[in-house]
Structure formats: structure tokens, C-alpha cells
Amino acid sequence: MIKISLSAIFLLCLLTNCEVKTERSLEVPSYFGKFREVPPDEIQPTGWLRTYLEIQKDGLTGNLEHAGYPFNQAGWGKEVKDTSTWWPYEQTGYWIDGMITAGYLLDDSTLIQKAQDRIYPVLAQATKDDPFIGPEYLRKSGKKYRWVHAVYFRALMKEYLAAKNPTILEKMVAFHLDQPIERYLEVRDHINIENMLWLYGQQRDSALLAKAIDIYDQLNYQGKMSHRPVKAENFLSDGTIYEHGVTYNEVAKLGAILYLYTGQEEYLAPSVAAYEKLQKLYMMIDGVNVSSEHLHTPVDALHTHETCDIADMTWSLGYLLMASGNPTYADQIERAIYNAGPGAATSDFKALQYFSGPNQVLATMTSNHNQFFKGNESMAFGPNPFTECCPGNVTRITPNFAARLWMRDDKNGIVAAMYAPSTWTGTIKNQKVVITQSTEYPFRESIIFTFQLDKSLDFPFTFRIPSWCKAPSAMLNGNPISIKLTPGSYQTLHRRFAPGDQIEIQLPPQTSFVSSYGGIALTRGPLVYALPIKTKKTIVQPDVKKPRSTTEFPAYNTYPDSEWRYALQNLDVIQEEVIIEENLWTGNPWSLENAPLSIKVPARIISGWNTVKTNKVLYEQNVPVQENGFTVWKPKSDFVRVGEFEFTPKLPDLTNPKYNISTKVDTVTLVPYGCTDLRLTIFPEIGSLQN
């Protein structure tokens, strides 16, 4: 009933530009998604995934105060003090979300308590008479003051799903219903649609659904966001969009979330189109859109993305996966998680990059080769490089992925939505069921699901055949499963499962060569391969007045200490000479010394192709300008920086005589992208040559 009445009301409102007033009522919400999340404490990471999350716990996830401001003094915490900016509340909100999710996944009381210390004291200050959550400063309207709640409330959502504390729901609902709708009509402020609809699903209050629809419709269909490109009509158009990458990803998912609770395709369509546009125009080889800091097209080998975008894009794609059940989104999430994610941080998870990319042959405090703040520290590894959003957001990447490995379908069956070693423990028809996913995926092709239950039980189990796998196979208790395994599909086996049943799937990958970005790259299944460059690191001493690193968590200048100037020979030659090696490994697979796989390929050195050195650069930053009565941010490129700079070079034009292609053919060893700090991923391609 709510779907029909709200649809009619809002269609009328769309035509008449009226203000909708909806009476509050409690009802059982409809849910139109194909899949839905399970609580994070129902999922237990195992194998290499648990190891990697434990490394993150001992690294930045559990110790981000080593990154300095705001994590050591400001933002959400036991004492919520007024501040002169919204900024620390966004950054610490990211961290608390990553920390609480990792805590419940690992069943780690230290992480959970550390996150809860930044949740419950804040909520305690909100009362029935004054339900506002946060310091006095954030009561202001506009300018991202509600945006910080959208970030922070994700942590509260995770805490509720695990702890089931009704106070969380009560105070979040009271906060939103107390706020005038005008407080949500800025481009980032309206991201609260995400937690409003989640609250509606939990609390059954129709006023939350109505408010979320009203906000979305006003911004997308009633001209309230005419000055910003991230809106439904632009997502649906064929044109390019120039926007901050994080803003694009955060906004693009909202229609898919509205679809989950309304079933209206007109909300889902812009989200689907937005991510088709991202894949078509802005996608980098490591699985994340270019965002330095804005979207740029065409993409080339020197483009980078913010580490924030790894977290935001994969989180957003999860909603499209739940809405549609389309396995393409799972493929895309895994591509980003298994390449861009570990590739943007050191293997001990004590340092990250603000900008990370496929070709980075050095990473120093002056090596940022992007036009945005060119020559600064954005590409150096450290606990807090350049600015504070990415240190908080990097803690969300793997925990949020792990928390969505398993889902429920619309028939209350279980879905192995994505693959990594893990166990799901929950109930089906009031019976406890445990399903263990034993695998070394994405480094190996075998995945075994073992079913543990007290007695036989009938339910559907769904697993995925990735689109890149052309020859999958599946066995049930050692016998072939008699269903067609189509690449790029979810397969459902509905049967009476008995204790000890096993399903084994084999997903053999193919080695593929991607000829784009002006060069050539190598992929195999969900993994991208790169030439690892040996590193020579020097520690950057912390600024005494504003430290952004510590002795235990240092920042680095990272220089190349091995040859990297290679071009790959033409495809026909490479296909015949590729050697794939599976390596023995223990511990963290995302470290170079433990790389589980390597691929040997023939290559030739290009002399004359060297790093770029200069003592003066022009750099770009965004500046506020007035446009149609609105303040918008536009790039300005005439800022000058003087010093000693050295940059990763662009791919060479091998027809230029300044570059000399060696006649000697070397064999180089490539490893998974995520195992590298310095790397060459997109190579110059040598055409047919005579030795």
C-alpha cells in the first residue's frame, strides 16, 4: 500500500511542485531487492582474509591516532566538543565505521570497545527534548554539516546490526525527523537518504521513507541541484560528468537504495546508468574510477584515484548488487578489492597513499605527477598523506567487503555473493546453519562450501560464476551438478541439505592482455599483474608542530631500486611464452615476499625512457567561483611550486628515435598488483620487431 500511495503523491508533487506532508505510521516495509545484507557478526573471516584483517587491526585500523589530526584529538569521541569546522567529523566517522565492522568480523573486543567509545557517549548527549546528535557547531544548515552524519551513521548501523541496541534506532530516527528537510538539500547532505531508508527498514516508520523520497525528488526532479552534475538526468545521458570522484560514487548509489524500498525502476535506472558510465569512461585497470580528485577522461597510464574512492565505489556497488542481483557488480567489487585496495597501502597496513595508480615508479613527498597539487606528497606512503579523508576511509575497504561476502536472497536462502575464505553462521527456518567457504581465492581456483547443521534442511543456496570464467565446473559431494554454469551468473541449488554436504566449484582463470590506456596490461581472473619495483625507503621525520606520523607508523620517501623501463613484446609472442607459477605462501598474501602467484613474460628495456626531473611545476587546485547564483568549485591550474621534483614518466612513443628498444629479450616476473608499492602495470607495447 505504501508504494502505491507514495508513488501517486510524489508524481502529483513532481507536476505541481507541492510540499508533501506524510502522516507517520508503522508498517512492515516492502523490500524489492534480490539480496539483502546479513549482520556483520554472522560472518567470520578465515584463512588469508582473517590474517589481512588482523594486520589491519594492528595497523591503521586499530591505531589511527598515529596519523595525527583529527584522529588523535578531534571528531566523534567520548567528549564531543564544538569545533570550527565539519571536517574532523567526516574523517573520524570513516574510521569508526571501519573499526566497528572489523571488530565484529574478528570478534575483537578491543576494536569494538574503541569504536563504541566513539558511539555511545555521543548518543547519550541526545535527549527527547533535544534529539540532535553531535556538537552545537553541526546544527548549521548546508555546507556538508549533514554529510558528516551520513558518514558517522554507517558505524551506528553496523553497531545496531550486531548489538541490537534499540537506543541506536530511537535516537537516529528522532534526529532525522527533527531536522527540517532544507538541511538535506546540499549535494553531500542528501547522502543521509542511505541511513534514512535503512532506518525505515528497521523501524517501520513511513515518515522516513517519505522524507527520503522527498529529498531525492527535490534534488533530482525539482531543480534544487541544477548547479551540480551528479543528478539523475546526467547519469542517464551519454555525456561526460566532471565531478569529484567521491561525490559521484556517494550520490550515484542513492537511486538503487530507493529502489530497495519502493520497487520503482525510475529510481534504479539512474544508478545503473551512473555505473555503466563509470565503467565506460572513467575506469582504471585496477578496478576503480580515476579521481584525482575529479573524474577525467580518457584514462591513461598516469591517472590515479583517491584511496577514498576504493572504499566508496565498492560500498556503493554493493547496493546495486543487492537491488539487481546482477553478478557483474560482484565482479567489479572483487576487481577493485583485490587490486586497488591492497595496492594503495603498504603490506603492514601502517601507511597508505592519497593518490594511487597503476604506474608509479617512485612515491615521495614531491612525486605527485597528477595536475591536482602536482609536486606534493599525495603519492607518498604515510599514515596521513596530504589530507585526512583517506586515512579514515582506508580502514573501511576490506571490512565492508568482508561484511557483504554473504547475503540472503528474497526467498530467505543464502547467497555466497563474493568469494574469500570465510564462514557464515545463522539460522534458516529456526535451525542453526553454518556454511564454511574454504578457499585461497583469488589466488587459487577452487572453492569448497561445507554445510554444517544438526539435521537435514530444505533451502536454496546460491553461488556465483564470474563473467571472466569461461570453463567453470561444480560438484556436489563429489558428483557433477546437473545445472548449466553460465559465465556471469548466479546459480541456485535448491535442495534438502544434509550435515556434511559439500559443494566444490572450480573457476579456472584465463590470462588476458588488455590493450588500452596507450599501452598493454596483463590480467588473470580477478587479478591484475604488475612489475614489482624493488624499493629504497627513507623515513620522513614528522613535523614537530603538526605530526602526521610516528616512529611506529612512519611516512616514507620511496625510490626505485631495480630496473623498470620495460616494454612487452607483441601479443602473439607473449601468448606463447607466458609462464604461470604458483608459489608457496603463508601469512599475508598481499606482501611482495609472499606473492602467491607470479607470471614470467618476455620484455625489452627502453633506454631514454626515464623519470621526469624539474625544478618548477604548475599545479591545479579547485577554487570557488560563482555560477548562476551558486558557489561551485572549478579547477585552476596556474599555481606555481618551486623545488626539486621527480615524476613517473608517461608511456613512451616508441616511434620517436629518442627511445631505443634493446635487442636483448629479458624475462621479467609480474606479481599481483596488490603485492606492490612501486610498480609498472601498463607497459609500452612493442610491435612486430626483428631481433
Side-chain angles (χ1 to χ4, degrees), residues 284 292 300-305 353 355-364 366-380 612 617-619 645-650 679:
M284 291 169 48
S292 50
D300 65 39
L302 282 186
H303 270 134
T304 64
H305 47 64
Q353 297 175 282
F355 286 149
S356 179
N359 283 11
Q360 48 186 49
V361 304
L362 72 165
T364 72
T366 59
S367 73
N368 172 26
H369 57 252
N370 297 279
Q371 199 60 39
F372 186 78
F373 281 97
K374 188 171 186 176
N376 81 345
E377 69 273 23
S378 294
M379 295 191 71
V612 177
V617 294
L618 294 178
Y619 70 92
F645 306 99
E646 186 175 8
F647 302 123
T648 298
K650 65 181 181 180
R679 55 183 165 260

Side-chain angles (χ1 to χ4, degrees), residues 16-321:
T16 62
N17 201 31
C18 68
E19 181 181 355
V20 175
K21 297 186 183 296
T22 304
E23 294 295 326
R24 294 181 65 181
S25 63
L26 298 181
E27 59 196 22
V28 178
S30 297
Y31 185 84
F32 297 89
K34 299 296 184 184
F35 305 150
R36 70 165 75 226
E37 293 174 294
V38 300
D41 61 336
E42 289 188 2
I43 297 172
Q44 298 82 44
T46 59
W48 72 257
L49 180 59
R50 184 173 189 86
T51 298
Y52 193 48
L53 285 170
E54 288 174 340
I55 288 169
Q56 294 189 10
K57 177 197 72 172
D58 295 333
L60 291 172
T61 301
N63 301 279
L64 201 53
E65 58 271 16
H66 286 271
Y69 176 86
F71 309 104
N72 62 349
Q73 58 184 293
W76 307 103
K78 287 186 177 181
E79 295 183 19
V80 182
K81 299 179 180 178
D82 284 357
T83 178
S84 59
T85 176
W86 54 270
W87 185 254
Y89 297 94
E90 177 188 355
Q91 321 321 330
T92 56
Y94 289 137
W95 178 29
I96 300 164
D97 181 25
M99 188 162 39
I100 197 72
T101 309
Y104 281 115
L105 288 166
L106 294 172
D107 192 21
D108 185 277
S109 59
T110 301
L111 277 183
I112 294 170
Q113 186 63 57
K114 196 167 186 174
Q116 288 177 339
D117 285 346
R118 291 158 173 81
I119 292 174
Y120 289 107
V122 178
L123 291 178
Q125 297 185 23
T127 67
K128 288 184 178 180
D129 293 334
D130 183 6
F132 190 81
I133 297 173
E136 191 68 26
Y137 181 84
L138 295 181
R139 289 184 188 271
K140 300 179 181 181
S141 62
K143 298 184 178 179
K144 301 186 180 71
Y145 297 113
R146 278 326 134 254
W147 157 240
V148 302
H149 289 95
V151 173
Y152 180 58
F153 283 172
R154 291 170 185 154
L156 273 60
M157 291 156 61
K158 307 285 182 51
E159 172 64 9
Y160 175 77
L161 287 173
K164 296 295 188 293
N165 187 332
T167 300
I168 296 172
L169 298 184
E170 293 165 7
K171 296 206 171 185
M172 288 176 69
V173 170
F175 169 85
H176 278 311
L177 296 185
D178 185 61
Q179 293 291 297
I181 198 167
E182 291 76 18
R183 298 289 172 89
Y184 299 98
L185 297 183
E186 279 287 328
V187 67
R188 288 247 191 130
D189 295 340
H190 81 300
I191 306 303
N192 282 281
I193 287 172
E194 175 182 0
N195 61 76
M196 283 181 190
L197 292 171
W198 176 85
L199 281 169
Y200 168 65
Q202 302 291 330
Q203 198 75 348
R204 305 180 176 186
D205 193 326
S206 62
L208 292 163
L209 175 61
K211 194 164 193 173
I213 292 174
D214 194 7
I215 293 166
Y216 186 91
D217 286 354
Q218 284 199 47
L219 288 169
N220 286 278
Y221 303 124
Q222 297 174 27
K224 295 292 179 68
M225 200 163 56
S226 60
H227 61 297
R228 296 302 292 261
V230 279
K231 52 189 174 183
E233 65 176 297
N234 290 342
F235 290 147
L236 291 164
S237 75
D238 293 331
T240 59
I241 291 180
Y242 181 77
E243 179 58 273
H244 183 248
V246 169
T247 301
Y248 187 104
N249 276 300
E250 289 283 4
V251 174
K253 69 178 185 290
L254 295 179
I257 303 173
L258 274 167
Y259 173 82
L260 292 176
Y261 295 99
T262 66
Q264 296 183 40
E265 293 287 344
E266 57 266 37
Y267 288 132
L268 180 59
S271 290
V272 171
Y275 283 96
E276 288 177 348
K277 189 187 294 283
L278 213 61
Q279 288 289 327
K280 179 180 179 181
L281 298 177
Y282 305 107
M283 195 52 54
M284 291 169 48
I285 189 68
D286 65 359
V288 175
N289 56 277
V290 60
S291 56
S292 50
E293 282 185 341
H294 283 54
L295 301 175
H296 296 276
T297 192
V299 179
D300 65 39
L302 282 186
H303 270 134
T304 64
H305 47 64
E306 283 184 71
T307 296
C308 281
D309 272 274
I310 308 169
D312 293 320
M313 191 200 82
T314 53
W315 178 250
S316 297
L317 283 172
Y319 283 111
L320 276 81
L321 174 60

Side-chain angles (χ1 to χ4, degrees), residues 532-607:
I533 302 172
K534 292 181 181 178
T535 62
K536 180 171 58 178
K537 294 183 177 181
T538 61
I539 293 176
V540 178
Q541 294 303 313
D543 185 316
V544 175
K545 294 182 179 179
K546 294 182 178 180
R548 302 170 72 86
S549 60
T550 64
T551 303
E552 297 87 352
F553 288 73
Y556 302 99
N557 284 315
T558 307
Y559 300 95
D561 199 31
S562 62
E563 181 61 74
W564 55 266
R565 301 170 301 160
Y566 288 104
L568 297 187
Q569 293 195 276
N570 66 75
L571 297 183
D572 292 336
V573 173
I574 286 181
Q575 290 281 12
E576 297 175 359
E577 298 187 32
V578 168
I579 300 173
I580 299 166
E581 296 182 343
E582 290 190 357
N583 306 319
L584 294 175
W585 57 284
T586 58
N588 180 14
W590 303 114
S591 60
L592 185 56
E593 59 271 21
N594 286 335
L597 289 164
S598 58
I599 299 181
K600 297 183 183 298
V601 295
R604 302 190 190 195
I605 291 176
I606 307 298
S607 60

